[in-house]
Amino acid sequence: MTDCIFCKIIARDISADIVYDDEQVLAFRDIQPQAPVHVVIIPKRHIATLNDLSSADAELVGRLYLAAKQVANELGVAQSGYRTLINCNRDAGQYVMHVHMHLLAGRPMDWPPG
Ligand code: AMP
Ligand code: ZN
């Protein structure tokens, strides 16, 4: 997708602080962090929202979580704790239409989220 900012990061057309990279998944620090650790984890294939995932993507979804686990370990927040979430569409606050998981850590998190 040429007009997708996350696809541009995957293509290295836009720079990002990459913290994880494999053949299917990329993770980079959020440009507007909402916590001391805020990482965005994305599939390298353009998929707009959670609604657009199919059963064929089951392994890919698992890979997003395994990447989150590895990033949390490497950034030293696995034991203190972290939150992973995927916003879907506007009511949830999804503005970049390339499905992505947020990993937030480094401070206590409120529940329920706002
Ligand atoms: P969402 O609001 O769930 O769509 O999340 C999109 C996230 O991507 C936001 O937290 C943005 O701060 C982040 N973001 C947008 N552009 C970039 C970028 N070029 N590099 C890193 N993070 C970005
Ligand atoms: Zn994209």
Side-chain angles (χ1 to χ4, degrees), residues 45-99:
R45 179 160 53 88
H46 182 88
I47 301 167
T49 79
L50 195 59
N51 290 336
D52 301 300
L53 289 165
S54 72
S55 56
D57 299 315
E59 185 189 334
L60 179 62
V61 174
R63 283 172 173 265
L64 295 176
Y65 279 99
L66 290 171
K69 173 188 154 180
Q70 185 169 323
V71 168
N73 259 305
E74 289 177 0
L75 298 185
V77 296
Q79 297 311 313
S80 53
Y82 57 99
R83 180 171 292 171
T84 57
L85 63 96
I86 296 175
N87 295 322
C88 182
N89 284 335
R90 288 296 149 90
D91 273 2
Q94 183 181 7
Y95 292 99
V96 176
M97 303 312 282
H98 180 131
V99 72

Side-chain angles (χ1 to χ4, degrees), residues 5-6 9 14-17 28-34 38 40 85-88 92-98 100 102:
I5 194 154
F6 287 174
I9 290 174
I14 292 177
S15 66
D17 185 355
F28 48 89
R29 291 187 190 268
D30 198 291
I31 204 166
Q32 288 189 296
Q34 302 301 314
H38 187 174
V40 178
L85 63 96
I86 296 175
N87 295 322
C88 182
Q94 183 181 7
Y95 292 99
V96 176
M97 303 312 282
H98 180 131
H100 52 279
H102 294 265

Side-chain angles (χ1 to χ4, degrees), residues 8-36:
K8 287 179 179 164
I9 290 174
I10 292 163
R12 305 297 202 264
D13 290 338
I14 292 177
S15 66
D17 185 355
I18 292 168
V19 296
Y20 179 91
D21 187 4
D22 71 23
E23 65 274 14
Q24 293 185 46
V25 174
L26 188 73
F28 48 89
R29 291 187 190 268
D30 198 291
I31 204 166
Q32 288 189 296
Q34 302 301 314

